[in-house]
Amino acid sequence: MQVYDELVARGLIAQVTDEEEIRELVNNGKATFYIGFDPTADSLHVGHFMALCLMKRLQMAGNKPIALIGGGTGMIGDPSGRSDMRQMMTPETIQHNCDCFKKQMSRFIDFSEGKALMVNNADWLMDLNYIQLLREVGACFSVNRMLTAECYKQRMEKGLSFLEFNYMIMQSYDFYELFQRYGCNMQFGGDDQWSNMLGGTELIRRKLGKDAYAMTITLLLNSEGKKMGKTQSGAVWLDPNKTSPFDFYQYWRNVADADVLKCLRMLTFLPLEQIDEMDKWEGSQLNKAKEILAYELTELVHGKEEADKAQEAAKALFGGGGDSANMPSYELSEEDFEDGKIGLLALLQKCGLAPSRSEARRNVEQGGVSVDGVQIKDIKAELSKDQIGSDGIVVKRGKKNFMKITIK
C-alpha cells in the first residue's frame, strides 16, 4: 500500500483540493509540506499527536516536513474553534516555547541535513508594511466570502475584533511565503482550519498564476484529536516533567473501548494488518489492545526504557505482577505523623489524590478509596508508620487515581 492510500486507510484524510496531484507528490516523496503549531505553551500535548505522526509518516516516505511555529500569529487572536481571544505573549516567551517544541518534535522528525525545517512566521509577519500588505494581499480576499467561514461565524455573535479578522489573511500569507522561500507545495491542518487553508492556496494561485503548485489537505478528526490533550485534571503533555511517562501510559491505557482501534490506526506505526486483526477482539481482549496502544505511544514519546518501566508499574498496580517502583509516588516526612500515625483524609489531601479534605471525606464515604487493594470506608481511619513500612503502600482513589506512599 502506498503512503497516501495508507493515510486514507488509517482515517487521517478528510478533504483535499487536488487529490490526484497530492497522491502523486506524496507517494513519490516530492511533497514539501507544512503544519502549523501555536507556541502557547512550553510543551506539546497529546492533541498534537496526529500532526506529529503524520509528519513522521510522510518524512519516512521521502517527503520534507516544515514545522511552522506561529510566533507572529501568536501575537494576535485565532478565532478558529474558540469563543474567546487568546492571550498575547512576549517574543521571549514565544522563543522559549519554540525551543521546547523542537526538542520534543525531534523524537518524531529528523531535522538533520535539510530533511526537515522548523521556521517561525514572525520572520516575515513582524516586518510586514501595512500599506504593502493591503495592496498585495488584501485585494485577493473577499470580505463577504470570509464572513461565511465557520471560524468567523462562531465569533460573530459575541463580537469579532478586526485584529482577529486578520488571522485568515496572516495564515494564508504564511503559505505564500513558505511556497516562495522553501518550495512548500502542500499544507496540512485540522478540519477547523479548512477555510484558512483554502485562503492560502487561493492566494498563491492568484498572485503567482494558476499553474502554481499549492495544495491543501485536512486531517480527519483533528479537532477531536485536540480534545485528546485535555482531561479533567488538565492537559496530557509530552514533557515528562509535566506528565510523567507512567501517567502518559495510563492515559492511553484508559481510552474508551470505542476509541482504541481508531487511536491505534491513527497514532501508531503498527501494520494495518495487525490492527485489523484486533477488530475481532471483544471484552477483555480490548484491554490488551489498550496496553499495546499505551506502550507504543509511550515508547514513541519517551523511549523504550520509560515505556518498559510504565508497563511494569501498571502491572504491579493492577494485579499482574511487575515493578511498583515507577508508579507515581509521594514521600511522607516525620512531621506528617502525629504519635506515629497519619489520618487517611489528611493523607489523601497531602499526596494530591483529593483537592480538599471535604472531597477526601466524600471519596472515602462513597467507597472510592483503597489501601493496598483493601477498601476503606471509615473517615476516621489512620495509617501508622509500621503499616506503611519500608516498602510503602499504594493508595487508590477511584479507578484511575493512585499513589505509592513511602516514608523518608
Side-chain angles (χ1 to χ4, degrees), residues 38-93:
D38 290 327
T40 51
D42 59 2
S43 174
L44 299 166
H45 57 69
V46 299
H48 295 108
F49 240 139
M50 200 175 296
L52 294 171
C53 292
L54 178 73
M55 296 173 85
K56 182 178 177 70
R57 291 183 205 282
L58 291 176
Q59 188 180 52
M60 290 169 62
N63 300 286
K64 183 176 181 179
I66 299 176
L68 177 67
I69 306 300
T73 42
M75 301 297 288
I76 67 171
D78 175 5
S80 300
R82 298 175 60 91
S83 60
D84 58 345
M85 184 173 158
R86 88 167 79 182
Q87 294 296 312
M88 296 186 185
M89 298 176 293
T90 66
E92 292 77 19
T93 298

Side-chain angles (χ1 to χ4, degrees), residues 34 141 168-177 179 187 193-208 214-216:
Y34 93 88
F141 287 83
M168 181 184 290
I169 295 176
M170 297 295 97
Q171 183 170 332
S172 299
Y173 191 78
D174 283 343
F175 195 17
Y176 177 69
E177 280 290 323
F179 180 88
Q187 58 179 332
Q193 293 290 316
W194 184 243
S195 297
N196 292 348
M197 294 168 66
L198 287 178
T201 297
E202 187 170 325
L203 176 61
I204 291 173
R205 293 179 179 178
R206 290 191 64 175
K207 293 292 293 180
L208 304 177
M215 302 160 186
T216 56

Side-chain angles (χ1 to χ4, degrees), residues 14 34-35 51 74 87 107 140 157 181 205 243 258 299 314 328 344 365:
Y34 93 88
I35 299 180
Q87 294 296 312
R107 294 200 68 93
C140 298
E157 293 182 7
R181 292 180 181 221
R205 293 179 179 178
T243 299
E299 181 181 21
L344 179 59
E365 289 176 335

Side-chain angles (χ1 to χ4, degrees), residues 313-337:
K315 288 180 180 179
L317 181 65
F318 298 107
D323 184 2
S324 65
N326 297 294
M327 69 174 61
S329 62
Y330 184 84
E331 199 172 47
L332 294 170
S333 65
E334 288 292 333
E335 291 75 23
D336 293 321
F337 293 90

Side-chain angles (χ1 to χ4, degrees), residues 264-301:
L264 280 164
R265 286 192 176 94
M266 290 182 169
L267 305 178
T268 76
F269 290 80
L270 294 175
L272 279 170
E273 296 78 10
Q274 181 180 345
I275 300 172
D276 289 341
E277 282 295 313
M278 298 181 199
D279 266 328
K280 305 170 186 175
W281 293 5
E282 297 178 351
S284 61
Q285 285 182 304
L286 286 176
N287 289 329
K288 178 62 177 175
K290 293 178 185 181
E291 290 172 3
I292 293 171
L293 172 68
Y295 184 87
E296 290 292 323
L297 297 186
T298 305
E299 181 181 21
L300 185 62
V301 174

Side-chain angles (χ1 to χ4, degrees), residues 131-155:
I131 298 299
Q132 180 183 358
L133 179 70
L134 287 176
R135 287 173 58 88
E136 294 189 7
V137 180
C140 298
F141 287 83
S142 162
V143 171
N144 289 352
R145 186 172 177 182
M146 290 173 71
L147 288 174
T148 65
E150 191 63 34
C151 59
Y152 288 131
K153 287 195 290 186
Q154 292 174 7
R155 291 283 287 124

Side-chain angles (χ1 to χ4, degrees), residues 81-375:
R82 298 175 60 91
S83 60
D84 58 345
M85 184 173 158
R86 88 167 79 182
Q87 294 296 312
M88 296 186 185
M89 298 176 293
T90 66
E92 292 77 19
T93 298
I94 291 172
Q95 185 57 53
H96 170 72
N97 293 349
C98 290
D99 294 339
C100 294
F101 279 16
K102 187 167 186 178
K103 182 178 179 180
Q104 292 175 352
M105 287 180 180
S106 294
R107 294 200 68 93
F108 295 81
I109 304 165
D110 181 3
F111 285 98
S112 66
E113 301 175 6
K115 293 180 180 178
L117 293 172
M118 174 178 278
V119 297
N120 189 334
N121 65 10
D123 292 346
W124 51 83
L125 293 181
M126 299 298 283
D127 294 330
L128 280 176
N129 177 283
Y130 187 61
I131 298 299
Q132 180 183 358
L133 179 70
L134 287 176
R135 287 173 58 88
E136 294 189 7
V137 180
C140 298
F141 287 83
S142 162
V143 171
N144 289 352
R145 186 172 177 182
M146 290 173 71
L147 288 174
T148 65
E150 191 63 34
C151 59
Y152 288 131
K153 287 195 290 186
Q154 292 174 7
R155 291 283 287 124
M156 288 296 288
E157 293 182 7
K158 293 188 176 182
L160 177 68
S161 72
F162 183 71
L163 183 102
E164 295 171 279
F165 189 64
N166 278 269
Y167 193 86
M168 181 184 290
I169 295 176
M170 297 295 97
Q171 183 170 332
S172 299
Y173 191 78
D174 283 343
F175 195 17
Y176 177 69
E177 280 290 323
L178 290 170
F179 180 88
Q180 295 192 98
R181 292 180 181 221
Y182 307 109
C184 180
N185 51 22
M186 197 176 296
Q187 58 179 332
F188 285 76
D191 51 4
D192 59 337
Q193 293 290 316
W194 184 243
S195 297
N196 292 348
M197 294 168 66
L198 287 178
T201 297
E202 187 170 325
L203 176 61
I204 291 173
R205 293 179 179 178
R206 290 191 64 175
K207 293 292 293 180
L208 304 177
K210 293 183 179 180
D211 294 333
Y213 230 19
M215 302 160 186
T216 56
I217 296 182
T218 65
L219 306 185
L220 179 65
L221 296 173
N222 197 36
S223 57
E224 181 175 316
K226 292 177 181 177
K227 296 174 186 176
M228 290 181 184
K230 300 291 183 180
T231 66
Q232 291 181 350
S233 59
V236 178
W237 304 100
L238 305 195
D239 183 344
N241 295 315
K242 291 177 176 286
T243 299
S244 72
F246 179 82
D247 287 336
F248 186 86
Y249 178 96
Q250 282 301 116
Y251 173 81
W252 295 107
R253 173 61 181 80
N254 291 319
V255 297
D257 289 355
D259 293 335
V260 60
L261 271 297
K262 178 176 64 180
C263 290
L264 280 164
R265 286 192 176 94
M266 290 182 169
L267 305 178
T268 76
F269 290 80
L270 294 175
L272 279 170
E273 296 78 10
Q274 181 180 345
I275 300 172
D276 289 341
E277 282 295 313
M278 298 181 199
D279 266 328
K280 305 170 186 175
W281 293 5
E282 297 178 351
S284 61
Q285 285 182 304
L286 286 176
N287 289 329
K288 178 62 177 175
K290 293 178 185 181
E291 290 172 3
I292 293 171
L293 172 68
Y295 184 87
E296 290 292 323
L297 297 186
T298 305
E299 181 181 21
L300 185 62
V301 174
H302 298 296
K304 185 178 186 304
E305 182 179 353
E306 291 298 334
D308 288 340
K309 289 179 181 178
Q311 188 175 64
E312 284 295 306
K315 288 180 180 179
L317 181 65
F318 298 107
D323 184 2
S324 65
N326 297 294
M327 69 174 61
S329 62
Y330 184 84
E331 199 172 47
L332 294 170
S333 65
E334 288 292 333
E335 291 75 23
D336 293 321
F337 293 90
E338 184 175 344
D339 296 328
K341 296 180 180 180
I342 183 172
L344 179 59
L345 300 186
L347 177 60
L348 288 170
Q349 185 179 2
K350 190 175 290 289
C351 73
L353 285 177
S356 65
R357 194 176 183 87
S358 60
E359 182 68 19
R361 175 190 292 268
R362 185 159 46 249
N363 293 150
V364 173
E365 289 176 335
Q366 293 175 350
V369 175
S370 65
V371 176
D372 281 344
V374 178
Q375 185 185 68

